[in-house]
Amino acid sequence: MTAPDGPAPVLRVSDLVKEYGEGDARVRALRGVSMDVERGDYVAIMGASGSGKSTLMNILGCLDVPTSGTYLIDGADVGLLDEHQLAILRNRRVGFVFQSFNLIPRMSALANVELPLVYGGVGLAERRARALAALEQVGLADRVHHEPNQLSGGQQQRVAVARALVTAPALLLADEPTGNLDTASTGDVLQIMDRLSDSGRTIVLITHENDVAAHAKRVIRLVDGEIVEDRRQAPVDGPPPRMAAL
């Protein structure tokens, strides 16, 4: 649904609170976080350990629920969805990229990328074509039949990016995607993220590294479960800044 003043944001987070434990042991991981993420934006969420960024990531990915507050993704109020509806939303509207790749060891790159489409009930011919296109998009057209142990760390993460893209999600959610990579592989993965952003993909990236956040169009910094900085580095319709050559 389109509002009179323009399209609805891909993400709308309003006064999110997340608490763990009870009584004296209660911990407030998020303390009233609110933000919108426009379609086509590239946002880096930063913070030290314990800042709440991982908790926020889990809620944005529909892997956890807030204690209070509302969260809409692509117009859908996540708080109103049952488990089955949440699973469908995660599969179709959110693409995940994790620090640890999360590839299935004895499956080829192609089969790993096809998995979300298998779960989504997509037929063999269509999912094969879409998976091949996604692998080509991340520069791995010549590695489709390789298993994860035959690929470098950087190549495995590029397979993970292809898997995240194959469902054409509204949101690409990346949690420390370069955390396990060497400098060269980090550069490769960030170049792919830059190209995806240039093509209009909406990206939210969790990182503690300033060099990684430098690629984003907007930086949000959390401290003790609260947003203390929300800084735009580039317009939503413009290219993100480029990091200096590695």
Side-chain angles (χ1 to χ4, degrees):
M1 181 175 179
T2 302
D5 57 347
V10 172
L11 298 182
R12 171 154 283 168
V13 172
S14 301
D15 202 25
L16 281 191
V17 172
K18 181 64 178 181
E19 298 177 345
Y20 297 99
E22 297 179 356
D24 292 342
R26 186 175 67 176
V27 174
R28 299 191 79 193
L30 295 178
R31 302 168 180 261
V33 170
S34 297
M35 65 179 186
D36 285 356
V37 175
E38 298 175 57
R39 199 168 302 277
D41 210 350
Y42 183 0
V43 181
I45 297 178
M46 302 192 72
S49 178
S51 64
K53 68 181 188 298
S54 295
T55 299
L56 181 58
M57 165 81 177
N58 287 335
I59 292 173
L60 295 181
C62 305
L63 301 171
D64 197 0
V65 294
T67 304
S68 63
T70 59
Y71 168 42
L72 277 67
I73 176 168
D74 215 20
D77 187 337
V78 174
L80 302 179
L81 304 180
D82 61 27
E83 281 300 319
H84 177 67
Q85 292 169 324
L86 275 175
I88 292 173
L89 184 143
R90 281 193 298 265
N91 180 264
R92 296 181 182 174
R93 299 196 188 181
V94 183
F96 295 94
V97 181
F98 299 100
Q99 178 176 342
S100 55
F101 318 143
N102 287 6
L103 301 178
I104 296 178
R106 286 172 294 281
M107 292 177 64
S108 67
L110 182 62
N112 267 283
V113 174
E114 284 182 327
L115 267 183
L117 301 178
V118 174
Y119 297 144
V122 177
L124 174 60
E126 182 182 349
R127 70 176 185 249
R128 182 64 46 88
R130 287 168 63 175
L132 287 169
L135 283 163
E136 184 172 4
Q137 196 172 0
V138 299
L140 290 178
D142 59 341
R143 295 287 189 274
V144 297
H145 299 300
H146 288 58
E147 295 180 0
N149 65 2
Q150 298 172 311
L151 300 171
S152 69
Q155 289 171 333
Q156 289 183 62
Q157 190 61 296
R158 284 152 63 190
V159 172
V161 172
R163 182 184 57 194
L165 293 173
V166 76
T167 59
L171 170 67
L172 183 63
L173 200 54
D175 187 7
E176 300 278 7
T178 62
N180 285 339
L181 303 180
D182 60 28
T183 303
S185 296
T186 291
D188 291 342
V189 169
L190 290 175
Q191 283 182 4
I192 290 170
M193 292 290 186
D194 288 346
R195 290 200 302 269
L196 292 172
S197 177
D198 289 346
S199 72
R201 185 74 58 185
T202 306
I203 303 170
V204 173
L205 179 148
I206 307 292
T207 184
H208 65 276
E209 298 180 28
N210 289 320
D211 286 350
V212 173
H215 283 247
K217 296 174 178 176
R218 177 183 173 195
V219 175
I220 293 174
R221 194 178 300 273
L222 292 175
V223 173
D224 294 334
E226 296 180 296
I227 293 176
V228 298
E229 180 184 24
D230 188 345
R231 171 171 49 88
R232 180 155 295 286
Q233 302 186 136
V236 174
D237 57 353
R242 295 291 186 259
M243 188 166 63
L246 294 168

